């Protein structure tokens, strides 16, 4: 157990930050999953900018790496292009 006040505060901050980061990462993953499940091209095209912005925001705050965000956006765009 932590003995110093500063280490106790650091534990509290870390716990709060982890919960915050997990929420936004999970929300983005669910949005990607829903977009991949879509079969209507028009609906998917309307949703793509929202999901892309979500991934960019997550990458800028280091929730995921910038390369992972770019790869996910590329795969989603490719998936939507294949929809008929």
């Amino acid at each position: 157990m932590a003995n110093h006040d500063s280490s106790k505060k650091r534990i509290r901050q870390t716990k709060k930050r982890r919960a915050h980061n997990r929420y936004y990462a999970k929300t983005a993953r669910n949005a990607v999953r829903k977009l991949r499940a879509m079969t209507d091209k028009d609906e998917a095209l309307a949703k793509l900018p929202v999901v892309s912005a979500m991934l960019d925001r997550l990458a800028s705050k280091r929730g995921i790496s910038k390369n992972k965000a770019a790869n996910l956006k590329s795969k989603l765009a490719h998936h939507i292009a294949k929809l008929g």
Side-chain angles (χ1 to χ4, degrees):
M1 186 62 199
N3 292 322
H4 297 282
D5 289 339
S6 61
S7 58
K8 289 177 184 177
K9 181 179 178 182
R10 178 60 65 192
I11 290 169
R12 287 194 310 268
Q13 287 176 329
T14 304
K15 188 176 179 182
K16 184 177 178 181
R17 198 172 295 121
R18 181 173 187 265
H20 181 268
N21 289 339
R22 283 173 55 100
Y23 170 77
Y24 284 103
K26 186 69 172 179
T27 303
R29 277 198 307 271
N30 285 338
V32 168
R33 195 174 296 126
K34 286 177 185 175
L35 187 59
R36 280 192 183 132
M38 287 184 183
T39 55
D40 182 30
K41 187 170 186 169
D42 294 332
E43 187 180 346
L45 277 173
K47 190 75 173 167
L48 182 62
V50 175
V51 176
S52 293
M54 199 179 288
L55 290 171
D56 286 336
R57 201 171 306 118
L58 193 61
S60 71
K61 295 184 183 289
R62 296 298 300 148
I64 59 175
S65 74
K66 290 188 186 295
N67 282 345
K68 182 175 176 101
N71 288 338
L72 283 170
K73 291 192 307 183
S74 173
K75 287 178 185 177
L76 289 173
H78 185 71
H79 169 72
I80 291 172
K82 287 195 313 187
L83 289 176

